[in-house]
Amino acid sequence: MSQRPAPPPKPAKFQVRASEAASSTNANVDTTAQSLANNPFMMNNNHVASSYAPSTRPSATRPSFSGPSAVTSSNNPFATNSTTSSAYSAPKQFQQPASMQIPSRPAAASLSSPSYSLSSPGYSGRPVPLGQTEKFSSESELSAVSQALAAKFPHFSTSEVSTFQRMFTDIDSESHGWIHQSDLGSVSNKAGESASAVVEKLTKMKLLLSGDGVTLEAFLAAISELRRDKGISASANKSKIVLHGSTSENTTHTINEDEKQSFVDHINQVLAGDRDIGYRLPIDLMTMQIFGEVKDGLILAKLINDSVPNTIDERVLNTGKKLNTFQMTENNNVVVNSAKAIGCSVVNIGAQDLIEGREHLALGLIWQIIKIGLQAKVDIKFHPELFRLLEDGETLEQFLKLPVEQILLRWFNYHLKRAGWNRRVQNFSGDVKVSALMLAVIFINRTQNIQDGENYTVLLAQLAPHLCDRSPLHTRDLMQRAEQVLNNAARMNCRKYLNPKTLVEGNAKLNFAFVANLFNEWPGLEKLSDAEKAQLDDSLFNSEGTREARGESESG
């Protein structure tokens, strides 16, 4: 290729000699420097850099900008000289009026000040306040701090502390280890108190940092005192988490801690190893991590597909480690619509509710999805042998209209009867739990036998006599007997949903889940003979729709 011709020389009047160009450049530099020096809003860079040295962590006290004396060669009243140490007094026209000057702050209050001690009997070791040294590197570390703070402040459960911990973390975006008292509104409302009441208590207890900063521990201490003032006992039932609305302290929602832990454990088990979310598991059972994890919709979508396979075409989901709000909204719209399609009630549940992590709505939806999956196969199409559960004079059509709970109770009682046991269960709470009242009666009158709580022992021994026995019937200690029952269930690979505490207390949801899972794994019903199958109505076997759909069509 031919090279471009050189540009023509400039006309003589535009040509400048080198010596003139150099002098012109020096003059421009001098002019610019003088202009900057005379600018009243310029500062010496050395001073600014030293004010924000990266080696020091910002404190709750506002940084001071009172600099040394002005540079003698400059008329800039705000410029500073790093070599001068005398205090600078700005000209009168640049001084703030007295009414606008920031008042001096008291020194940072120690959280172990004489007015209130954050130590409590039986607690060893002081947990690091939120963000005091560094951000938490893992969920396990956050969980450990939550548990330590819950031990220190008995008015809170670990999950409650975890909730406030995450709110503090979201507000404290720069990881100072504190938030300003003006940011206490949403956190205080969540705890059921007004921000003004919390600030007043913090001030009275001398727990405000210099600059009105509030640490998580100081906040928990203030709320503990407010609850104590209201006569709320620290020994209140911690299995119930009471969370208040984000905008009104008069709106409260209750979460069952045992149920939350059981549902999270279910999620950890069924979604372990998933290609899109497996790296996020296991989710901590003890904290409120689950409500942060479900915000992007992926875990809920996967859970729906586990309960009812192929409900969601996962190719439509936005995946990745960090989704923007639009992508999360798309995922959660798919979740809500799909949950409704499989039979969940999604009234008052929207994509924004899940993104905002509204705990009571998210946990309620999780339970519905899990329940639908558990009861999906409690159907005569999957188990024709359910025909054996019909009572005298009852038609198959009538049987199919029964709620799943009633069918499972009938299945439970069918096996109790076959085992020669004279008791029957009527519900998933009182009839299967270990009754503390009954135990008290036994201690008063030792001639009586323990009755409540023995039904599971008999059921498991009837379903798997080669794995389980009735030895728990001879155990009187509540928790010990419950543990023995669950050990029998573990031998059947069915120790799920219940723990000794929830078995003793008789949680209806968790007992239903335990029995449904037991039916799915060990139905224990003999297969129908050809003659028995012939007795079934062919139209019911060949009809389309689920039990619920058939029931609705009949009722309509």
Side-chain angles (χ1 to χ4, degrees):
M1 294 179 62
S2 59
Q3 296 182 350
R4 291 185 178 182
K10 294 182 179 180
K13 64 178 181 178
F14 292 110
Q15 294 181 3
V16 181
R17 289 189 295 271
S19 59
E20 295 177 358
S23 61
S24 175
T25 301
N26 293 336
N28 289 337
V29 170
D30 294 340
T31 302
T32 301
Q34 185 64 28
S35 175
L36 292 174
N38 292 333
N39 184 349
F41 295 99
M42 293 301 296
M43 243 193 224
N44 184 284
N45 287 337
N46 292 333
H47 172 66
V48 176
S50 63
S51 297
Y52 291 97
S55 60
T56 58
R57 188 174 184 82
S59 66
T61 307
R62 300 177 185 271
S64 173
F65 291 99
S66 58
S69 61
V71 180
T72 55
S73 60
S74 169
N75 295 324
N76 178 9
F78 288 89
T80 58
N81 189 332
S82 58
T83 61
T84 311
S85 59
S86 59
Y88 165 71
S89 176
K92 184 175 181 179
Q93 64 268 30
F94 294 111
Q95 291 181 351
Q96 280 187 319
S99 60
M100 296 178 61
Q101 292 180 1
I102 300 174
S104 60
R105 304 287 186 185
S110 170
L111 293 185
S112 57
S113 60
S115 60
Y116 186 82
S117 174
L118 293 182
S119 60
S120 61
Y123 174 71
S124 60
R126 177 187 181 87
V128 179
L130 179 65
Q132 190 72 20
T133 57
E134 59 183 355
K135 299 187 73 173
F136 297 111
S137 59
S138 65
E139 287 293 339
S140 60
E141 184 180 353
L142 186 146
S143 174
V145 174
S146 296
Q147 293 181 52
L149 289 174
K152 177 178 284 188
F153 300 103
H155 279 86
F156 300 93
S157 68
T158 302
S159 290
E160 285 181 289
V161 174
S162 172
T163 297
F164 299 131
Q165 199 167 21
R166 290 180 181 279
M167 295 182 76
F168 265 68
T169 301
D170 291 341
I171 298 172
D172 182 22
S173 58
E174 298 182 2
S175 301
H176 296 322
W178 49 267
I179 65 175
H180 193 267
Q181 69 172 33
S182 61
D183 295 320
L184 282 174
S186 60
V187 191
S188 299
N189 287 335
K190 200 72 167 178
E193 301 289 348
S194 66
S196 59
V198 175
V199 172
E200 181 180 356
K201 182 62 70 174
L202 287 167
T203 303
K204 183 177 180 180
M205 298 168 69
K206 299 180 181 180
L207 294 179
L208 282 176
L209 296 177
S210 177
D212 293 338
V214 181
T215 66
L216 175 61
E217 288 195 56
F219 173 79
L220 296 176
I223 296 296
S224 294
E225 285 297 305
L226 288 170
R227 291 182 177 180
R228 190 177 290 110
D229 293 344
K230 294 179 179 179
I232 300 176
S233 172
S235 60
N237 185 5
K238 288 192 176 184
S239 66
K240 299 289 185 181
I241 306 171
V242 179
L243 298 174
H244 298 256
S246 58
T247 58
S248 172
E249 61 186 84
N250 296 322
T251 303
T252 61
H253 306 287
T254 302
I255 291 177
N256 187 291
E257 171 71 12
D258 299 319
E259 293 173 2
K260 185 211 68 171
Q261 292 183 19
S262 180
F263 301 160
V264 172
D265 185 54
H266 173 89
I267 291 173
N268 287 338
Q269 292 185 39
V270 301
L271 300 184
D274 184 271
R275 63 183 179 182
D276 296 319
I277 61 172
Y279 69 94
R280 293 158 60 176
L281 305 176
I283 298 170
D284 192 351
L285 307 183
M286 302 302 298
T287 68
M288 304 289 265
Q289 180 189 352
I290 180 63
F291 303 112
E293 297 291 345
V294 300
K295 289 183 178 182
D296 62 8
L298 287 175
I299 285 180
L300 292 177
K302 302 283 186 175
L303 187 62
I304 288 174
N305 273 354
D306 175 75
S307 292
V308 184
N310 302 319
T311 300
I312 298 175
D313 184 347
E314 295 186 4
R315 293 176 296 180
V316 307
L317 298 174
N318 299 299
T319 59
K321 293 188 175 181
K322 284 201 172 183
L323 303 183
N324 58 41
T325 303
F326 177 75
Q327 292 171 318
M328 290 192 291
T329 301
E330 284 188 328
N331 285 351
N332 282 310
N333 282 332
V334 172
V335 165
V336 172
N337 292 331
S338 300
K340 183 177 180 180
I342 66 174
C344 295
S345 173
V346 294
V347 178
N348 297 327
I349 301 179
Q352 191 61 31
D353 298 314
L354 300 176
I355 292 175
E356 292 176 359
R358 296 191 178 179
E359 298 88 353
H360 65 293
L361 295 178
L363 193 65
L365 183 59
I366 289 172
W367 163 239
Q368 290 189 77
I369 297 171
I370 293 174
K371 182 179 180 182
I372 286 173
L374 286 170
Q375 67 187 28
K377 292 187 178 181
V378 187
D379 192 291
I380 203 165
K381 284 191 172 183
F382 294 99
H383 294 282
E385 59 272 20
L386 283 171
F387 175 71
R388 299 188 182 284
L389 303 183
L390 269 67
E391 296 179 345
D392 294 340
E394 184 180 32
T395 66
L396 183 60
E397 188 175 1
Q398 292 172 332
F399 175 79
L400 293 177
K401 291 180 180 179
L402 293 175
V404 176
E405 290 85 351
Q406 291 299 316
I407 293 178
L408 288 175
L409 287 172
R410 189 175 291 189
W411 169 79
F412 200 140
N413 288 326
Y414 171 84
H415 284 295
L416 293 181
K417 181 179 180 180
R418 293 198 65 186
W421 190 248
N422 61 356
R423 289 189 55 79
R424 301 293 180 265
V425 294
Q426 303 297 326
N427 53 63
F428 286 110
S429 56
D431 287 335
V432 294
K433 73 178 181 179
V434 182
S435 171
L437 177 60
M438 181 60 69
L439 185 64
V441 172
I442 291 164
F443 285 129
I444 295 174
N445 185 359
R446 293 182 179 272
T447 61
Q448 298 186 18
N449 294 322
I450 297 178
Q451 296 176 335
D452 288 341
E454 297 175 344
N455 295 306
Y456 274 140
T457 298
V458 176
L459 175 64
L460 298 180
Q462 176 66 20
L463 292 174
H466 59 295
L467 297 175
C468 308
D469 57 31
R470 297 191 181 188
S471 59
L473 297 178
H474 307 294
T475 303
R476 292 194 172 189
D477 181 82
L478 292 175
M479 300 301 290
Q480 184 179 352
R481 177 160 21 95
E483 180 63 31
Q484 290 173 346
V485 169
L486 294 178
N487 285 338
N488 279 342
R491 296 186 185 99
M492 301 169 64
N493 198 28
C494 290
R495 181 165 184 163
K496 194 173 181 181
Y497 304 111
L498 284 177
N499 58 40
K501 174 177 176 289
T502 51
L503 193 155
V504 168
E505 294 176 350
N507 183 291
K509 288 180 181 177
L510 299 184
N511 274 289
F512 168 84
F514 180 83
V515 173
N517 181 62
L518 196 61
F519 172 86
N520 291 331
E521 299 295 331
W522 295 78
L525 298 172
E526 295 179 9
K527 300 295 183 182
L528 297 181
S529 65
D530 293 338
E532 289 172 325
K533 288 181 180 179
Q535 298 178 23
L536 298 177
D537 187 350
D538 292 339
S539 62
L540 290 177
F541 271 98
N542 298 325
S543 63
E544 296 181 358
T546 63
R547 179 194 314 103
E548 291 82 359
R550 290 195 294 271
E552 289 175 1
S553 64
E554 289 294 330
S555 61

